[in-house]
């Protein structure tokens, strides 16, 4: 296994947008539609009110995750690992890096929405100490959504 680096990048970087498009295709395969219609702007992830991270193996982007400020919370968005990189612990390291970035910016907890057709994501979040909370945000009240939080 190659070691990989985690870098903070601009959400609007063209290589990042290719990875985000792959993420949305994955969600679309699971749920139909466009995958995720949540309004997102590159500025959402601009420090100090957010951050966008990618995992890089050689010159290949293999994972992404971002957070944006939601009051005192950091909302996790666009957490994704490419199919070829799954099972290597990449997502867990990305989640830890997001938590560290959000804590450094003064956020009190990380909150997130995931879906009931993403069992690997649910298992990751629960094993990392996330607990179910009342739904919030764009998909609040949607039958497939599961919302989680973890104090920092």
């Amino acid at each position: 296994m190659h070691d990989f680096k985690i870098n903070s990048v601009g959400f609007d970087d063209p290589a990042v947008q290719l990875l985000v498009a792959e993420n949305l295709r994955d969600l679309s395969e699971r749920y139909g539609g466009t995958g995720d219609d949540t309004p997102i702007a590159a500025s959402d992830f601009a420090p100090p009110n957010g951050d966008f991270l990618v995992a890089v193996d050689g010159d290949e982007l293999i994972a992404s995750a971002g957070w944006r400020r939601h009051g005192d919370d950091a909302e996790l968005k666009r957490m994704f690992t490419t199919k070829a990189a799954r099972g290597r612990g990449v997502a867990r390291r990305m989640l830890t890096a997001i938590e560290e970035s959000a804590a450094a910016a003064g956020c009190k907890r990380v909150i997130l929405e995931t879906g009931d057709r993403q069992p690997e994501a649910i298992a990751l979040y629960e094993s990392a100490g996330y607990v179910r909370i009342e739904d919030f945000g764009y998909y609040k009240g949607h039958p497939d959504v599961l919302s989680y939080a973890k104090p920092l």
Side-chain angles (χ1 to χ4, degrees):
M1 174 176 87
H2 293 97
D3 197 25
F4 59 91
K5 294 183 170 78
I6 296 176
N7 299 326
S8 181
V9 296
F11 183 72
D12 52 2
D13 179 283
V16 170
Q17 284 302 301
L18 288 173
L19 188 62
V20 168
E22 188 176 341
N23 179 359
L24 294 176
R25 280 193 300 278
D26 181 76
L27 290 172
S28 181
E29 289 169 11
R30 294 174 193 251
Y31 297 101
T34 60
D36 183 353
D37 296 324
T38 306
I40 289 181
S43 59
D44 291 351
F45 303 108
N49 291 315
D51 199 2
F52 201 82
L53 306 175
V54 292
V56 184
D57 186 354
D59 59 359
E60 185 180 2
L61 300 185
I62 59 171
S64 67
W67 69 268
R68 61 184 181 180
R69 196 171 295 276
H70 190 91
D72 286 338
D73 298 330
E75 180 187 9
L76 177 67
K77 295 301 299 176
R78 298 294 176 253
M79 178 84 170
F80 178 70
T81 303
T82 61
K83 287 180 180 164
R86 291 179 186 164
R88 293 172 38 187
V90 176
R92 188 167 301 278
R93 280 190 44 200
M94 290 295 290
L95 188 59
T96 298
I98 285 289
E99 292 168 358
E100 290 169 351
S101 171
C107 295
K108 303 295 184 215
R109 64 182 184 160
V110 174
I111 59 174
L112 65 94
E113 295 174 309
T114 191
D116 61 4
R117 296 181 197 164
Q118 293 165 266
E120 58 282 85
I122 294 166
L124 170 68
Y125 299 137
E126 290 180 348
S127 72
Y130 286 76
V131 296
R132 289 287 305 277
I133 59 168
E134 185 178 335
D135 290 341
F136 67 93
Y138 188 80
Y139 285 102
K140 182 176 183 173
H142 194 279
D144 298 337
V145 77
L146 304 169
S147 298
Y148 287 85
K150 179 182 177 180
L152 294 174

